[in-house]
PDB file of all heavy atoms in Angstrom:
ATOM      1  N   ILE B  27      91.706  53.658  81.289  1.00 97.00           N
ATOM      2  CA  ILE B  27      91.366  52.282  80.939  1.00 97.00           C
ATOM      3  C   ILE B  27      92.634  51.458  80.818  1.00 97.00           C
ATOM      4  O   ILE B  27      93.578  51.852  80.132  1.00 97.00           O
ATOM      5  CB  ILE B  27      90.596  52.230  79.591  1.00 97.00           C
ATOM      6  CG1 ILE B  27      89.363  53.116  79.641  1.00 97.00           C
ATOM      7  CG2 ILE B  27      90.263  50.790  79.222  1.00 97.00           C
ATOM      8  CD1 ILE B  27      88.323  52.736  80.652  1.00 97.00           C
ATOM      9  N   ILE B  28      92.631  50.313  81.468  1.00 96.00           N
ATOM     10  CA  ILE B  28      93.714  49.348  81.327  1.00 96.00           C
ATOM     11  C   ILE B  28      93.084  48.065  80.818  1.00 96.00           C
ATOM     12  O   ILE B  28      92.092  47.590  81.372  1.00 96.00           O
ATOM     13  CB  ILE B  28      94.446  49.085  82.666  1.00 96.00           C
ATOM     14  CG1 ILE B  28      95.148  50.362  83.149  1.00 96.00           C
ATOM     15  CG2 ILE B  28      95.488  47.986  82.514  1.00 96.00           C
ATOM     16  CD1 ILE B  28      94.417  51.052  84.219  1.00 96.00           C
ATOM     17  N   VAL B  29      93.659  47.524  79.749  1.00 97.00           N
ATOM     18  CA  VAL B  29      93.163  46.287  79.162  1.00 97.00           C
ATOM     19  C   VAL B  29      94.220  45.215  79.357  1.00 97.00           C
ATOM     20  O   VAL B  29      95.370  45.378  78.952  1.00 97.00           O
ATOM     21  CB  VAL B  29      92.853  46.464  77.657  1.00 97.00           C
ATOM     22  CG1 VAL B  29      92.443  45.136  77.027  1.00 97.00           C
ATOM     23  CG2 VAL B  29      91.776  47.515  77.458  1.00 97.00           C
ATOM     24  N   GLY B  30      93.817  44.133  79.983  1.00 94.00           N
ATOM     25  CA  GLY B  30      94.666  42.961  80.129  1.00 94.00           C
ATOM     26  C   GLY B  30      94.115  41.869  79.240  1.00 94.00           C
ATOM     27  O   GLY B  30      92.903  41.729  79.103  1.00 94.00           O
ATOM     28  N   ALA B  31      94.995  41.090  78.615  1.00 92.00           N
ATOM     29  CA  ALA B  31      94.527  40.091  77.671  1.00 92.00           C
ATOM     30  C   ALA B  31      95.205  38.747  77.875  1.00 92.00           C
ATOM     31  O   ALA B  31      96.397  38.681  78.179  1.00 92.00           O
ATOM     32  CB  ALA B  31      94.752  40.564  76.247  1.00 92.00           C
ATOM     33  N   ARG B  32      94.416  37.736  77.678  1.00 88.00           N
ATOM     34  CA  ARG B  32      94.913  36.365  77.638  1.00 88.00           C
ATOM     35  C   ARG B  32      95.285  36.092  76.185  1.00 88.00           C
ATOM     36  O   ARG B  32      94.480  36.299  75.281  1.00 88.00           O
ATOM     37  CB  ARG B  32      93.806  35.426  78.091  1.00 88.00           C
ATOM     38  CG  ARG B  32      94.176  33.991  78.139  1.00 88.00           C
ATOM     39  CD  ARG B  32      92.964  33.184  78.588  1.00 88.00           C
ATOM     40  NE  ARG B  32      93.341  31.807  78.878  1.00 88.00           N
ATOM     41  CZ  ARG B  32      92.535  30.778  78.659  1.00 88.00           C
ATOM     42  NH1 ARG B  32      91.315  30.973  78.190  1.00 88.00           N
ATOM     43  NH2 ARG B  32      92.939  29.561  78.942  1.00 88.00           N
ATOM     44  N   ASN B  33      96.502  35.646  75.948  1.00 89.00           N
ATOM     45  CA  ASN B  33      96.964  35.376  74.592  1.00 89.00           C
ATOM     46  C   ASN B  33      96.350  34.064  74.121  1.00 89.00           C
ATOM     47  O   ASN B  33      96.926  33.002  74.271  1.00 89.00           O
ATOM     48  CB  ASN B  33      98.485  35.323  74.542  1.00 89.00           C
ATOM     49  CG  ASN B  33      99.006  35.307  73.124  1.00 89.00           C
ATOM     50  OD1 ASN B  33      98.254  35.429  72.167  1.00 89.00           O
ATOM     51  ND2 ASN B  33     100.313  35.155  72.992  1.00 89.00           N
ATOM     52  N   LYS B  34      95.141  34.169  73.581  1.00 84.00           N
ATOM     53  CA  LYS B  34      94.395  32.997  73.128  1.00 84.00           C
ATOM     54  C   LYS B  34      93.922  33.263  71.711  1.00 84.00           C
ATOM     55  O   LYS B  34      93.341  34.308  71.429  1.00 84.00           O
ATOM     56  CB  LYS B  34      93.196  32.755  74.041  1.00 84.00           C
ATOM     57  CG  LYS B  34      92.333  31.607  73.622  1.00 84.00           C
ATOM     58  CD  LYS B  34      91.135  31.438  74.522  1.00 84.00           C
ATOM     59  CE  LYS B  34      90.347  30.243  74.010  1.00 84.00           C
ATOM     60  NZ  LYS B  34      89.132  30.025  74.738  1.00 84.00           N
ATOM     61  N   GLU B  35      94.167  32.302  70.834  1.00 86.00           N
ATOM     62  CA  GLU B  35      93.770  32.402  69.436  1.00 86.00           C
ATOM     63  C   GLU B  35      94.239  33.726  68.853  1.00 86.00           C
ATOM     64  O   GLU B  35      95.418  33.996  68.868  1.00 86.00           O
ATOM     65  CB  GLU B  35      92.268  32.163  69.295  1.00 86.00           C
ATOM     66  CG  GLU B  35      91.868  30.769  69.748  1.00 86.00           C
ATOM     67  CD  GLU B  35      90.406  30.612  70.102  1.00 86.00           C
ATOM     68  OE1 GLU B  35      89.657  31.595  70.104  1.00 86.00           O
ATOM     69  OE2 GLU B  35      90.019  29.464  70.395  1.00 86.00           O
ATOM     70  N   PHE B  36      93.353  34.593  68.385  1.00 92.00           N
ATOM     71  CA  PHE B  36      93.756  35.839  67.735  1.00 92.00           C
ATOM     72  C   PHE B  36      93.341  37.073  68.534  1.00 92.00           C
ATOM     73  O   PHE B  36      93.130  38.149  67.973  1.00 92.00           O
ATOM     74  CB  PHE B  36      93.216  35.909  66.298  1.00 92.00           C
ATOM     75  CG  PHE B  36      91.765  35.565  66.179  1.00 92.00           C
ATOM     76  CD1 PHE B  36      90.795  36.536  66.285  1.00 92.00           C
ATOM     77  CD2 PHE B  36      91.373  34.247  65.975  1.00 92.00           C
ATOM     78  CE1 PHE B  36      89.454  36.219  66.189  1.00 92.00           C
ATOM     79  CE2 PHE B  36      90.031  33.914  65.880  1.00 92.00           C
ATOM     80  CZ  PHE B  36      89.062  34.901  65.982  1.00 92.00           C
ATOM     81  N   THR B  37      93.253  36.935  69.851  1.00 94.00           N
ATOM     82  CA  THR B  37      92.874  38.053  70.717  1.00 94.00           C
ATOM     83  C   THR B  37      93.811  39.242  70.553  1.00 94.00           C
ATOM     84  O   THR B  37      93.368  40.387  70.381  1.00 94.00           O
ATOM     85  CB  THR B  37      92.850  37.611  72.188  1.00 94.00           C
ATOM     86  OG1 THR B  37      91.953  36.507  72.323  1.00 94.00           O
ATOM     87  CG2 THR B  37      92.436  38.734  73.098  1.00 94.00           C
ATOM     88  N   ILE B  38      95.092  39.004  70.610  1.00 96.00           N
ATOM     89  CA  ILE B  38      96.080  40.083  70.547  1.00 96.00           C
ATOM     90  C   ILE B  38      96.026  40.782  69.192  1.00 96.00           C
ATOM     91  O   ILE B  38      96.110  42.017  69.123  1.00 96.00           O
ATOM     92  CB  ILE B  38      97.502  39.542  70.841  1.00 96.00           C
ATOM     93  CG1 ILE B  38      97.546  38.801  72.185  1.00 96.00           C
ATOM     94  CG2 ILE B  38      98.530  40.667  70.793  1.00 96.00           C
ATOM     95  CD1 ILE B  38      96.993  39.567  73.367  1.00 96.00           C
ATOM     96  N   GLU B  39      95.845  40.024  68.118  1.00 96.00           N
ATOM     97  CA  GLU B  39      95.739  40.617  66.793  1.00 96.00           C
ATOM     98  C   GLU B  39      94.533  41.554  66.705  1.00 96.00           C
ATOM     99  O   GLU B  39      94.605  42.629  66.098  1.00 96.00           O
ATOM    100  CB  GLU B  39      95.653  39.533  65.715  1.00 96.00           C
ATOM    101  CG  GLU B  39      96.957  38.790  65.486  1.00 96.00           C
ATOM    102  CD  GLU B  39      97.231  37.699  66.525  1.00 96.00           C
ATOM    103  OE1 GLU B  39      96.360  37.414  67.380  1.00 96.00           O
ATOM    104  OE2 GLU B  39      98.341  37.149  66.493  1.00 96.00           O
ATOM    105  N   LEU B  40      93.406  41.159  67.300  1.00 96.00           N
ATOM    106  CA  LEU B  40      92.224  42.018  67.306  1.00 96.00           C
ATOM    107  C   LEU B  40      92.465  43.303  68.092  1.00 96.00           C
ATOM    108  O   LEU B  40      92.071  44.389  67.659  1.00 96.00           O
ATOM    109  CB  LEU B  40      91.021  41.278  67.891  1.00 96.00           C
ATOM    110  CG  LEU B  40      90.318  40.288  66.981  1.00 96.00           C
ATOM    111  CD1 LEU B  40      89.253  39.522  67.764  1.00 96.00           C
ATOM    112  CD2 LEU B  40      89.701  41.002  65.790  1.00 96.00           C
ATOM    113  N   LEU B  41      93.094  43.176  69.247  1.00 96.00           N
ATOM    114  CA  LEU B  41      93.392  44.366  70.052  1.00 96.00           C
ATOM    115  C   LEU B  41      94.278  45.330  69.265  1.00 96.00           C
ATOM    116  O   LEU B  41      94.058  46.544  69.280  1.00 96.00           O
ATOM    117  CB  LEU B  41      94.052  43.967  71.370  1.00 96.00           C
ATOM    118  CG  LEU B  41      93.146  43.252  72.364  1.00 96.00           C
ATOM    119  CD1 LEU B  41      93.968  42.619  73.482  1.00 96.00           C
ATOM    120  CD2 LEU B  41      92.107  44.202  72.931  1.00 96.00           C
ATOM    121  N   LYS B  42      95.257  44.792  68.563  1.00 96.00           N
ATOM    122  CA  LYS B  42      96.129  45.635  67.736  1.00 96.00           C
ATOM    123  C   LYS B  42      95.354  46.258  66.579  1.00 96.00           C
ATOM    124  O   LYS B  42      95.545  47.434  66.264  1.00 96.00           O
ATOM    125  CB  LYS B  42      97.309  44.818  67.207  1.00 96.00           C
ATOM    126  CG  LYS B  42      98.314  44.450  68.275  1.00 96.00           C
ATOM    127  CD  LYS B  42      99.439  43.596  67.711  1.00 96.00           C
ATOM    128  CE  LYS B  42     100.411  43.199  68.792  1.00 96.00           C
ATOM    129  NZ  LYS B  42     101.478  42.316  68.274  1.00 96.00           N
ATOM    130  N   LYS B  43      94.474  45.475  65.952  1.00 96.00           N
ATOM    131  CA  LYS B  43      93.681  45.980  64.823  1.00 96.00           C
ATOM    132  C   LYS B  43      92.850  47.196  65.238  1.00 96.00           C
ATOM    133  O   LYS B  43      92.717  48.155  64.473  1.00 96.00           O
ATOM    134  CB  LYS B  43      92.753  44.887  64.302  1.00 96.00           C
ATOM    135  CG  LYS B  43      91.833  45.352  63.199  1.00 96.00           C
ATOM    136  CD  LYS B  43      90.872  44.272  62.765  1.00 96.00           C
ATOM    137  CE  LYS B  43      89.935  44.861  61.711  1.00 96.00           C
ATOM    138  NZ  LYS B  43      88.944  43.918  61.262  1.00 96.00           N
ATOM    139  N   TYR B  44      92.305  47.167  66.455  1.00 96.00           N
ATOM    140  CA  TYR B  44      91.476  48.266  66.937  1.00 96.00           C
ATOM    141  C   TYR B  44      92.285  49.299  67.729  1.00 96.00           C
ATOM    142  O   TYR B  44      91.723  50.151  68.398  1.00 96.00           O
ATOM    143  CB  TYR B  44      90.313  47.726  67.772  1.00 96.00           C
ATOM    144  CG  TYR B  44      89.343  46.913  66.963  1.00 96.00           C
ATOM    145  CD1 TYR B  44      89.144  45.575  67.219  1.00 96.00           C
ATOM    146  CD2 TYR B  44      88.643  47.494  65.904  1.00 96.00           C
ATOM    147  CE1 TYR B  44      88.252  44.823  66.470  1.00 96.00           C
ATOM    148  CE2 TYR B  44      87.756  46.749  65.144  1.00 96.00           C
ATOM    149  CZ  TYR B  44      87.565  45.415  65.424  1.00 96.00           C
ATOM    150  OH  TYR B  44      86.684  44.667  64.672  1.00 96.00           O
ATOM    151  N   ASN B  45      93.614  49.220  67.642  1.00 94.00           N
ATOM    152  CA  ASN B  45      94.521  50.168  68.307  1.00 94.00           C
ATOM    153  C   ASN B  45      94.229  50.293  69.802  1.00 94.00           C
ATOM    154  O   ASN B  45      94.211  51.400  70.347  1.00 94.00           O
ATOM    155  CB  ASN B  45      94.455  51.541  67.632  1.00 94.00           C
ATOM    156  CG  ASN B  45      94.956  51.492  66.215  1.00 94.00           C
ATOM    157  OD1 ASN B  45      95.987  50.902  65.930  1.00 94.00           O
ATOM    158  ND2 ASN B  45      94.210  52.097  65.306  1.00 94.00           N
ATOM    159  N   MET B  46      94.001  49.172  70.447  1.00 95.00           N
ATOM    160  CA  MET B  46      93.713  49.162  71.877  1.00 95.00           C
ATOM    161  C   MET B  46      94.993  48.802  72.640  1.00 95.00           C
ATOM    162  O   MET B  46      95.541  47.705  72.470  1.00 95.00           O
ATOM    163  CB  MET B  46      92.608  48.156  72.190  1.00 95.00           C
ATOM    164  CG  MET B  46      91.289  48.519  71.530  1.00 95.00           C
ATOM    165  SD  MET B  46      90.030  47.229  71.673  1.00 95.00           S
ATOM    166  CE  MET B  46      89.750  47.242  73.429  1.00 95.00           C
ATOM    167  N   ASP B  47      95.474  49.759  73.436  1.00 94.00           N
ATOM    168  CA  ASP B  47      96.625  49.461  74.279  1.00 94.00           C
ATOM    169  C   ASP B  47      96.245  48.328  75.215  1.00 94.00           C
ATOM    170  O   ASP B  47      95.132  48.291  75.749  1.00 94.00           O
ATOM    171  CB  ASP B  47      97.025  50.687  75.091  1.00 94.00           C
ATOM    172  CG  ASP B  47      97.622  51.779  74.213  1.00 94.00           C
ATOM    173  OD1 ASP B  47      98.193  51.451  73.155  1.00 94.00           O
ATOM    174  OD2 ASP B  47      97.502  52.961  74.592  1.00 94.00           O
ATOM    175  N   HIS B  48      97.173  47.411  75.441  1.00 95.00           N
ATOM    176  CA  HIS B  48      96.869  46.254  76.270  1.00 95.00           C
ATOM    177  C   HIS B  48      98.154  45.682  76.872  1.00 95.00           C
ATOM    178  O   HIS B  48      99.252  45.986  76.418  1.00 95.00           O
ATOM    179  CB  HIS B  48      96.164  45.168  75.452  1.00 95.00           C
ATOM    180  CG  HIS B  48      96.986  44.685  74.297  1.00 95.00           C
ATOM    181  ND1 HIS B  48      97.047  45.374  73.099  1.00 95.00           N
ATOM    182  CD2 HIS B  48      97.795  43.617  74.164  1.00 95.00           C
ATOM    183  CE1 HIS B  48      97.856  44.728  72.279  1.00 95.00           C
ATOM    184  NE2 HIS B  48      98.336  43.667  72.904  1.00 95.00           N
ATOM    185  N   VAL B  49      97.944  44.884  77.880  1.00 94.00           N
ATOM    186  CA  VAL B  49      99.026  44.143  78.532  1.00 94.00           C
ATOM    187  C   VAL B  49      98.690  42.670  78.394  1.00 94.00           C
ATOM    188  O   VAL B  49      97.565  42.254  78.703  1.00 94.00           O
ATOM    189  CB  VAL B  49      99.107  44.505  80.031  1.00 94.00           C
ATOM    190  CG1 VAL B  49     100.138  43.659  80.740  1.00 94.00           C
ATOM    191  CG2 VAL B  49      99.382  45.975  80.213  1.00 94.00           C
ATOM    192  N   ILE B  50      99.635  41.889  77.906  1.00 94.00           N
ATOM    193  CA  ILE B  50      99.399  40.448  77.834  1.00 94.00           C
ATOM    194  C   ILE B  50      99.627  39.878  79.230  1.00 94.00           C
ATOM    195  O   ILE B  50     100.713  40.001  79.790  1.00 94.00           O
ATOM    196  CB  ILE B  50     100.324  39.778  76.806  1.00 94.00           C
ATOM    197  CG1 ILE B  50     100.024  40.325  75.410  1.00 94.00           C
ATOM    198  CG2 ILE B  50     100.150  38.255  76.851  1.00 94.00           C
ATOM    199  CD1 ILE B  50     100.946  39.825  74.327  1.00 94.00           C
ATOM    200  N   LEU B  51      98.573  39.284  79.765  1.00 91.00           N
ATOM    201  CA  LEU B  51      98.657  38.720  81.110  1.00 91.00           C
ATOM    202  C   LEU B  51      99.242  37.310  81.086  1.00 91.00           C
ATOM    203  O   LEU B  51     100.117  36.991  81.887  1.00 91.00           O
ATOM    204  CB  LEU B  51      97.275  38.701  81.763  1.00 91.00           C
ATOM    205  CG  LEU B  51      96.622  40.062  81.965  1.00 91.00           C
ATOM    206  CD1 LEU B  51      95.190  39.891  82.447  1.00 91.00           C
ATOM    207  CD2 LEU B  51      97.428  40.892  82.946  1.00 91.00           C
TER     208      LEU B  51
END
């Protein structure tokens, strides 16, 4: 699984809270 994220509002904080590896696109 690869998760890409748009840095919008608190998206990145949620991904970190749930320990989800991600790449900020």
